[in-house]
Amino acid sequence: MASLETLLEALRQWLQNPLVVQVFAVVFSTALASFASHKVFAAMGRRAEASSNLWDDAFLRTVSKPAQWLIWVVGISFAAELNCRTPEPGSARSDRDGALSRDDFVGGAVRHSNGERD
């Protein structure tokens, strides 16, 4: 019973982090947008099958999967960017506006390869 309470407390603390909530909202919105686009393309496909023109069927079959991939790539990229732009409290970047610079990546990699600690 103590382990369940410990787990619930850890989950409660994790969900109080605004970054977790924001990233979850972005990923959930991405899933909803992907689902909606799937339904829209399916409805358009049924209507296109009823027409005598073959080009609209071919176009919808060709475009539907890349459109869903594009929705997921943009959504996950936005969530990753949101995660990268939000500094953790107490980190060296928490004093700035949260924007990442080239030095955050290159300088950190050079310092790390030289054995220096942040």
Side-chain angles (χ1 to χ4, degrees):
M1 190 60 131
S3 63
L4 179 61
E5 291 173 0
T6 305
L7 178 66
L8 289 175
E9 181 61 31
L11 182 64
R12 191 174 301 116
Q13 289 176 357
W14 187 64
L15 289 176
Q16 287 176 352
N17 185 353
L19 178 62
V20 171
V21 175
Q22 291 171 349
V23 170
F24 176 78
V26 169
V27 173
F28 185 72
S29 299
T30 301
L32 284 178
S34 177
F35 178 75
S37 74
H38 174 72
K39 290 297 182 182
V40 167
F41 278 116
M44 289 171 52
R46 285 190 299 275
R47 186 169 281 206
E49 287 175 358
S51 72
S52 61
N53 190 354
L54 295 177
W55 288 104
D56 54 1
D57 300 339
F59 177 75
L60 288 174
R61 278 193 298 252
T62 303
V63 171
S64 65
K65 286 291 183 185
Q68 287 185 352
W69 273 99
L70 180 66
I71 289 170
W72 276 105
V73 166
V74 169
I76 298 299
S77 297
F78 184 71
E81 181 180 348
L82 183 66
N83 191 24
C84 287
R85 286 185 176 263
T86 307
E88 294 183 19
S91 70
R93 292 187 301 128
S94 64
D95 299 338
R96 298 187 308 211
D97 61 354
L100 294 176
S101 68
R102 182 182 59 84
D103 294 334
D104 289 330
F105 296 106
V106 176
V110 170
R111 283 192 305 273
H112 182 69
S113 67
N114 291 336
E116 298 177 20
R117 300 277 182 191
D118 286 334

